[in-house]
């Protein structure tokens, strides 16, 4: 190989590719199997024993999550502005309090996430130096 890797799933069968697409949208493996027209045991076996299938599924899932996250990020500023508007000038005191709590709660969650991310990054850098 010349350093180029095949895209995840490039060497899967058409049924396996269809199963991955179904797994991304179905609520259960049984529903995915039915949608992909494969046996549920096949999906379970592919996920537990087929490294190529599992890697392709995980890559597709990461892509799905990344796309959803990007969409949410695009709407975050507007959502924050809406909450702040309600917190400042909502029709009722209850609405203002709920909006203020939501802003504070999300700020706390973001701060905690940023702290964890910073710690993780420091650990990763330290492990590279070892």
């Amino acid at each position: 190989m010349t350093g180029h890797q095949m895209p995840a799933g490039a060497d899967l069968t058409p049924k396996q590719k269809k199963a991955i697409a179904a797994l991304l949208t179905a609520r259960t493996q049984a529903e995915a199997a039915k949608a992909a027209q494969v046996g549920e045991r096949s999906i379970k076996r592919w996920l537990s024993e087929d490294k190529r299938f599992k890697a392709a599924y995980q890559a597709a899932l990461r892509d799905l999550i990344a796309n959803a996250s990007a969409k949410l990020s695009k709407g975050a500023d507007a959502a924050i502005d809406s909450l702040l508007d309600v917190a400042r000038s909502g029709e009722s005191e209850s609405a203002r309090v709920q909006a203020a709590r939501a802003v504070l709660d999300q700020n706390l969650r973001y701060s905690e996430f940023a702290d964890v991310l910073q710690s993780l990054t420091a650990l990763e850098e330290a492990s590279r130096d070892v």
Side-chain angles (χ1 to χ4, degrees):
M1 195 177 258
T2 61
H4 297 292
Q5 290 194 334
M6 293 176 64
D11 54 349
L12 298 179
T13 68
K15 283 187 176 188
Q16 287 177 317
K17 290 177 183 179
K18 196 172 179 182
I20 287 173
L23 282 167
L24 296 175
T25 58
R27 292 183 301 159
T28 65
Q29 288 181 0
E31 286 182 10
K34 185 175 181 180
Q37 298 175 328
V38 298
E40 186 177 356
R41 288 193 323 186
S42 293
I43 288 181
K44 289 182 185 299
R45 186 180 68 251
W46 292 335
L47 285 169
S48 65
E49 299 173 14
D50 188 330
K51 291 179 182 178
R52 294 170 306 146
F53 181 85
K54 188 174 182 178
Y57 171 64
Q58 289 172 339
L61 191 56
R62 279 191 303 273
D63 288 347
L64 182 71
I65 291 168
N67 288 336
S69 180
K71 285 182 181 180
L72 288 171
S73 292
K74 289 178 183 178
D77 284 344
I80 292 167
D81 288 343
S82 294
L83 280 173
L84 291 172
D85 285 346
V86 172
R88 282 190 289 266
S89 57
E91 288 187 27
S92 69
E93 183 176 349
S94 175
R96 291 190 299 274
V97 169
Q98 280 184 308
R101 280 186 181 155
V103 169
L104 292 172
D105 183 51
Q106 292 307 311
N107 185 52
L108 178 61
R109 287 182 186 193
Y110 175 79
S111 296
E112 290 170 346
F113 176 76
D115 290 346
V116 169
L117 186 59
Q118 184 178 13
S119 297
L120 180 61
T121 300
L123 287 170
E124 287 174 340
E125 289 174 1
S127 71
R128 282 189 216 120
D129 295 339
V130 173

